[in-house]
Each structure stands twice: as C-alpha cells, then as structure tokens.
Amino acid sequence: MWRQLRALRGCGRRWQHRSAIQVTNEPILEFKPGSPERAALQKALADLRGKTEDIPCVIGGEEVWTPTVRYQLSPFNHAHKVAKYCYASKELINKAINAALAARKEWDLKPVQDRAQIFLKAADMLSGPRRAEVLAKTMVGQGKTVIQAEIDAAAELIDFFRFNAKYALELEQSQPLSVDISTNSMVYRGLEGFVAAVSPFNFTAIGGNLAGAPALMGNVVLWKPSDTALLSSYAVYKILLEAGLPPNVVQFVPSDGPEFGDTVTSSEHFCGLNFTGSVPTFKRLWKQVSENLDRYRNFPRLAGECGGKNFHVVHSSADVGSAVNGTLRSAFEFGGQKCSACSRLYAPASLWPHIKEKLLEEHGKIKVGDPTQDFGTFFSAVIDAKEIFGPILTVFVYPENRYKEVLELIDTTTPYGLTGAIFAQEKEVIEESRRLLRNAAGNFYINDKSTGAVVAQQPFGGSRISGTNDKPGGPHYILRWTSPQAVKETHVPLRDWRYAYMQ
C-alpha cells in the first residue's frame, strides 16, 4: 500500500552530491473515498480501536517503568485509554542527563552528512510506510481530523526533517574567506551539555522538531513530550531510532512538568531549552535558568513559542467571502487549539451585517464529533477544559472611518505578537496596515487566514510574549543549536616578531 502512496506523491528530495540536496514540500494527500491513502488510514484507525499502548521512559536506550503510572485518554472518547505511560522521577531524569552526556562527544563529531541522512530516512519512513500509523495516532490521541493530522503529523514533520537536513548541509558549506598564506574554516559544533525539549499537545510535528533539530546539529536531548500527545510522540521517537538515531542521543522522558523543569535547569550541564507551551511555564523556566546561571558552564540557549491572541482585520474594501471563510478556518479548525488561531475579528460597521450573516450561516454547517468515524467532522473535542484555548472568536465592530485607530488598537490590545491577517483590496490600505502592524505579528498574512504556516515558505514564530521568534521552518533556526568555532591555519612560518615599520 505504501508504495502506491509514494507513487502518488513522487519523491520529496533528490541527491545532487554528498553535501547538498534539493528538497520540496511534502504534498498533502486528500483522502478521497476510494483512494489508497484513505484505505491505509482506515486500517490504521481500526488497528488502534480499543487498544492501549504501553509507553515507557527510554533512558540510555533501555525501557524503564516507574510506579507513577498515567493514562492518555482519547479526547473525544474518555473511555478509551490510548496509552499507558509513567513519569520519570528526579533520579531517572538525572540518569537520562548522564546517559545523554556520555554520547555527546561521539555524536557531535559525527559528520553532518551522516546525521542528516538519519533525518532524511525518517522523513521517507513518515512519507511512506509509517504515514498512516502516525496520522491515526494523532487523530485518536489528539482529536485531529484527517486533514489536520495530515498537515501536521505527515507533511509538516516530513518538511521539518528534510529542510533542516538541507539547511544543515548548506550551513557547513558556508565557509569564511581564505587568503594565500592561510586557510579559514568554520566548524559548527553542537552545544556543550544537553538540550531540554519540552513539546506541546497540539502538533505532533512540533515535538519531532523540538527534539530533532538540536539533535541534527550535534546536540544530545532530553525530550519531555506532552502527556496528551504521548501516543504520537512515541511513534515519532521510534521512527527516529529505526532510521538510525543512536539510542542515547535523544532520551524519551515523560515527566511531571515542574519536576522536569526543576531537575534540568539545576544541572550544571544544561545548555539549552527548546520549548513550546504556555507563557507562565516559559517564564518560570526562564527565571529558574537565571537563578542558576552561576552553576552553568555556558549561557544556555532559550528558545520558546508561547502562542498568541491573533487577529483578522477586515477593511471595507475586503472580499467578504474570503474573509469569512478564512476566519472560520482559522478560528475553528482543530477546535481553535492552534497557537496561530484567530481569536479577534475586527469588522467595519458597513460590512458587519453581511459578515455576521455569513459567519452564522457557515458556522451552523460545522460538524463536531468523532473524527475517526466520520471524515466529515470539522473539529472534535478540545484537550483541556480548564484553558481558554479553543473555538472562541470575539468580534469588534468599528466605524470604517476610524480604520487607522483600529490598527493602533490591534497593536496594543494584547502583549502577544504571533500572527495576524488583513483582508483588503486597496494597495494603499495594505501598505498602511503593514506599517502600523509591523510589530504586532511575527507571521503576517494579506488576504489569507492567520494559520497554516508552511515549512520553508513561512518560517513560524512571534515576539513580545509570544516567544523568542527563532523561526523554525527557516534556514536560521538551526543556528540556535550550534556553537560555531572559527579555525585559522597558516601555511607560512612567522620568521620575525617585528613588523616592517619597525625595521
């Protein structure tokens, strides 16, 4: 079956020579009735029905169980325990740190071509024989629909692995100038210590990238997956191991969040944090790092993405249908549980009656339910009932002659700065909006929804309290996980310490 799928997509990459590859974005499959990808996915979903997978901690290449047993429940069927797992204790987390450090030097010295090949092979496995499995586990465990799982756990994760490999190989080729008497080179070393990767529930791809990108660049990693994404995260982890990732490079460490944070930030070998999650958690970790600065051998690299209160602003010249449909997708796909989801809509009074009518009309057609049984489902149950991270859209209706004031309001309403979109047809309005909203969004969309960033097309991230804006999915992201060393080799002996002017 998977060979048929590969024939449909074509190869996502081709080798040019050992140090360069040409990569294209993974095509998104449609899962139409009768298609081979739909049949493969339905079989994978049937195989998971009613089953509970045992997911251990993996420390030093060994599966470890502790008495602190937990269960991951399917969000739309709480009777289904999709995974049984355990929390790593403080002692086990420290054991994972030691196991990672023991592997660090050998892994860092491995040629980047060899490291890249592992991630390219993992991408091929996700693209082919393991695609249906990872999609099914994302749907059952995180409540994603077919297309949302496909965009995330297949296309985006494959793109992360392939493009990061491409960027790493190109980075090594980027070398400084040399002159006749000396050769200059740049060595892109991994960081000295270990990186902690803390991943969220809402994107399988983010987990794979938070752990995978630092590992690709020669780092060793402790991966703490989200409790509500363990099934898919473990599947990705196993694929990386099967693709050739040495067991000690990434330790798989489900843990209590505060205990994990306390333990890793108190280690003298802590050298980096790759994080996606809430603002309070990221601030807490940042403060802990600050308090422990004196014990570290290096200043740790802190990379974090914390979400946003993202906006759609509609100008009176906008195409109303496009604005309405884009807003419905942005606000309600995956139950609004995307860090880029639209939660603020600004509409001009002159268009509001039409916009409201269309919003309510189309909103009434949305089907909510079990995405594994009915492929017509648009979104399913939200993960956490305690958080306002769901399908909620607020609307601000403004007098259209106060458009500029509204742009200033958008810029100052929240402390976030992740994504935003403007819907307008007038070029002058678009340019003015871009200027006044320059700092309001790290990813800015014109006549498109605020969600759906694609690796290598729209590298993702925001600043302000939305995060450190390191742009995963772009060529500069991997630089965060390197410690470059400049090397000068001189070929002509120095015969005199004195300079010519001193003669």
Side-chain angles (χ1 to χ4, degrees), residues 52 95 107 117 119 132 167 215 220 276 332 373 461 479 483 487:
T52 303
K95 184 177 179 180
W107 177 245
Q117 181 59 35
F119 288 88
Y167 297 146
V220 290
T276 296
F332 301 119
Q373 296 297 310
L479 274 169
S483 179
V487 179

Side-chain angles (χ1 to χ4, degrees), residues 72-76 78 138-144 200-203 226-230 334-338 379-387 389-391:
Q72 179 189 352
L73 307 180
S74 177
F76 53 84
H78 289 184
T138 298
M139 292 173 68
V140 170
Q142 291 138 272
K144 292 208 168 187
F201 79 86
N202 56 344
F203 279 89
S226 168
D227 291 358
T228 44
L230 268 166
F334 190 39
Q337 297 171 114
K338 298 182 181 182
F379 73 82
S380 187
V382 295
I383 296 292
D384 194 334
K386 299 187 294 295
E387 298 175 3
F389 189 38

Side-chain angles (χ1 to χ4, degrees), residues 88-124:
S89 63
K90 180 178 180 180
E91 291 73 25
L92 198 57
I93 296 169
N94 281 318
K95 184 177 179 180
I97 292 172
N98 292 332
L101 293 173
R104 189 191 71 82
K105 289 183 179 180
E106 182 179 354
W107 177 245
D108 179 45
L109 289 171
K110 184 179 284 291
V112 68
Q113 292 88 350
D114 295 347
R115 297 197 303 264
Q117 181 59 35
I118 294 169
F119 288 88
L120 292 169
K121 183 176 180 181
D124 286 348

